[in-house]
């Protein structure tokens, strides 16, 4: 069972013992964030600081004027790192240490750009924009994602390219001091995650966009009025739901195609996704053709338990046999996985053939034994 560990550039560059520690851990590759969203990231292995505050989403490679000329959507250059090519420096340091390095690229999650250019952000049926979510239906967003990918990987020796947020984000993803948890039923959250921007509306063939938005609003209000936070299904007409999902999937496919077009043939593609086609976020719902473009599909299995194991089993049944199933687990949740070794073995038994470990920089000395246990369990699977 292949093991991939995730890290930020400053994890690799800010700790002289990083490569040695990772080599001892035994992961098969390290995925380095080359384009990433805003974050405050703890640095428990550092002797100089306790965290890095990445104020905005940023590209951790040189932001070349010639590559981005004439665009609205241009990634930020991070001034919280010491090098203009910290991502490239991190990859090269791993290469020099004999550790395979992968590109970890976050595509449509960018609060800075969504705030500056709301015309490119996801807009719900109430006309509210989600600044953290760039809409894949927008040609400018697809062009941005393709250029971001090309600039991320340029000139680097990479074992894989990992695509996060390669699709739509919705109404329940991160925002500053999020205060929406537990407010909406699953069905409500799903409807509030349907983008109703003009570019998306162009795909609603034969329908009046105003009528569609009003239908969605009315259903959201009905669901809220039921005062039941367990409701999982809405009452939208089946044909309307089919058209809305089809439009979303066409935009997602177009986004992915634009990104893949800039990569070298033969590049190993790892796609973060979910089996439920309505899911939005960092691991968005897979389209019917998504698996055709990836060597590995990574599922979020951060919540240990039978539901995650069942999700892996369902994916193994649904996806072509040639597509590897990756299980994304975390060792830095508020509560540790009770028996992370047993959990990894259960995921493998269900059909996972790759383990994706979050996170090699955030997991300090207190959580490092969990990473060791998880990696050892993965490698014990024949």
């Amino acid at each position: 069972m292949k093991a991939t560990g995730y890290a930020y550039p400053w994890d690799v560059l800010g700790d002289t013992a990083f490569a040695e520690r990772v080599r001892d851990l035994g992961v098969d590759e390290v995925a380095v964030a080359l384009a990433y969203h805003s974050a405050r990231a703890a640095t428990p292995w550092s002797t100089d600081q306790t965290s890095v505050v990445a104020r905005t989403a940023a590209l951790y490679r040189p932001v070349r004027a010639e590559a981005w000329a004439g665009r609205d959507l241009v990634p930020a250059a991070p001034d919280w790192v010491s090098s203009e090519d910290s991502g490239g420096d991190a990859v090269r340091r791993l290469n020099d240490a004999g550790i395979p390095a992968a590109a970890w690229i976050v595509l449509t999650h960018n609060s800075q750009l969504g705030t500056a250019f709301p015309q490119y952000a996801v807009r719900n049926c109430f006309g509210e924009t989600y600044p953290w979510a760039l809409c894949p239906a927008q040609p400018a967003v697809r062009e941005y994602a393709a250029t971001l990918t090309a600039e991320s990987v340029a000139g680097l020796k990479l074992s894989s390219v990992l695509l996060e947020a390669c699709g739509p984000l919705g109404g329940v993803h991160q925002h500053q001091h999020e205060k929406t948890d537990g407010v909406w039923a699953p069905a409500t959250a799903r409807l509030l995650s349907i983008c109703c921007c003009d570019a998306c509306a162009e795909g609603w063939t034969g329908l009046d966009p105003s009528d569609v938005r009003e239908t969605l609003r009315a259903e959201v209000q009905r669901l809220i009025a039921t005062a039941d936070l367990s409701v999982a299904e809405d009452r939208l007409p089946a044909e309307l739901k089919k058209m809305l999902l089809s439009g979303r999937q066409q935009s997602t496919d177009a986004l992915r195609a634009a990104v893949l077009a800039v990569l070298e043939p033969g590049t190993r593609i790892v796609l973060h996704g979910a089996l439920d086609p309505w899911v939005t976020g960092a691991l968005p719902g897979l389209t019917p053709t998504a698996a055709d473009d990836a060597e590995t599909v990574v599922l979020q299995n951060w919540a240990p338990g039978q539901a995650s194991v069942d999700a892996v089993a369902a994916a193994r049944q649904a996806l072509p046999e040639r597509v590897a199933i990756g299980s994304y687990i975390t060792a830095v949740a508020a509560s540790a996985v009770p028996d992370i070794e047993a959990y990894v073995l259960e995921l493998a038994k269900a059909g996972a053939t790759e383990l994706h470990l979050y996170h090699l920089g955030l997991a300090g000395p207190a959580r490092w034994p969990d990473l060791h246990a998880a990696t050892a369990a993965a490698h014990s699977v024949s």
Side-chain angles (χ1 to χ4, degrees), residues 63-69 71 151:
V63 181
R64 302 183 308 120
E66 57 269 34
W68 298 97
R71 316 280 188 88
E151 293 295 290

Side-chain angles (χ1 to χ4, degrees), residues 3 13 48 60 67 77 102 112 115 141 151 185 229 234 287 294 301 303 319 342 351:
L13 301 175
D48 301 320
Y60 292 92
Q112 181 194 40
T115 299
V141 171
E151 293 295 290
L229 293 179
D234 56 65
T287 72
N301 298 136
L319 298 176

Side-chain angles (χ1 to χ4, degrees), residues 124 126 128-130 132 170-173 175 178-193 219-232:
N124 71 17
F126 289 87
E128 301 162 321
T129 58
Y130 296 151
W132 58 89
V172 293
H173 203 63
H175 195 45
E178 189 71 53
K179 299 296 181 182
T180 62
D181 293 345
V183 173
W184 295 312
T188 308
R190 185 165 57 246
L191 295 184
L192 288 173
S193 296
E219 180 60 6
V220 167
Q221 291 165 339
R222 185 195 70 79
L223 286 166
I224 292 173
T226 65
D228 183 354
L229 293 179
S230 67
V231 179

Side-chain angles (χ1 to χ4, degrees), residues 94-107:
L94 291 168
N95 289 164
D96 290 344
I99 299 171
W104 177 16
I105 304 171
V106 178
L107 295 170

Side-chain angles (χ1 to χ4, degrees), residues 79-163:
D79 60 9
W80 50 89
V81 291
S82 59
S83 165
E84 71 169 0
D85 192 13
S86 62
D89 292 342
V91 168
R92 286 184 286 268
R93 179 171 293 188
L94 291 168
N95 289 164
D96 290 344
I99 299 171
W104 177 16
I105 304 171
V106 178
L107 295 170
T108 60
H109 185 183
N110 192 314
S111 299
Q112 181 194 40
L113 294 180
T115 299
F117 302 100
Q119 66 269 34
Y120 302 128
V122 170
R123 187 182 312 144
N124 71 17
C125 57
F126 289 87
E128 301 162 321
T129 58
Y130 296 151
W132 58 89
L134 300 177
C135 178
Q138 297 283 348
V141 171
R142 299 198 291 266
E143 184 180 15
Y144 160 80
T147 306
L148 186 73
T149 301
E151 293 295 290
S152 293
V153 305
L156 296 181
K157 178 184 177 183
L158 297 163
S159 54
S160 310
V161 173
L162 284 67
L163 301 177

Side-chain angles (χ1 to χ4, degrees), residues 50 55 60 87 125 175 195 268 283 321 363 368:
T50 63
R55 298 186 309 280
Y60 292 92
C125 57
H175 195 45
C195 186
R268 181 175 180 271
L283 294 87
E321 189 62 32
W368 199 256

Side-chain angles (χ1 to χ4, degrees), residues 222-381:
R222 185 195 70 79
L223 286 166
I224 292 173
T226 65
D228 183 354
L229 293 179
S230 67
V231 179
E233 296 297 331
D234 56 65
R235 294 182 184 174
L236 288 184
E239 284 302 310
L240 175 58
K241 290 180 69 171
K242 182 179 178 181
M243 179 170 289
L244 292 172
L245 181 59
S246 176
R248 171 187 285 182
Q249 291 180 330
Q250 288 176 25
S251 298
T252 299
D253 285 340
L255 174 77
R256 190 176 65 257
V259 167
L260 296 181
V262 304
L263 295 173
E264 292 291 332
T267 300
R268 181 175 180 271
I269 303 299
V270 178
L271 184 64
H272 286 210
L275 212 57
D276 181 347
W278 286 101
V279 169
T280 57
L283 294 87
L286 297 172
T287 72
T289 62
D292 297 339
D293 294 330
E295 278 71 26
T296 299
V297 168
V298 177
L299 307 178
Q300 188 172 55
N301 298 136
W302 283 23
Q306 194 59 45
S308 288
V309 174
D310 290 346
V312 170
R316 185 65 286 162
Q317 290 293 318
L319 298 176
E321 189 62 32
R322 66 160 192 84
V323 177
I325 304 295
S327 280
Y328 199 15
I329 71 171
T330 180
V332 295
S335 298
V337 178
D339 187 343
I340 199 167
E341 184 175 4
Y343 181 46
V344 170
L345 293 175
E346 282 297 309
L347 293 168
K349 185 178 179 181
T353 53
E354 293 186 15
L355 182 67
H356 288 247
L357 288 170
Y358 188 90
H359 181 285
L360 302 184
L362 300 176
R367 291 291 178 88
W368 199 256
D370 286 349
L371 293 184
H372 261 290
T375 303
H379 286 162
S380 73
V381 178

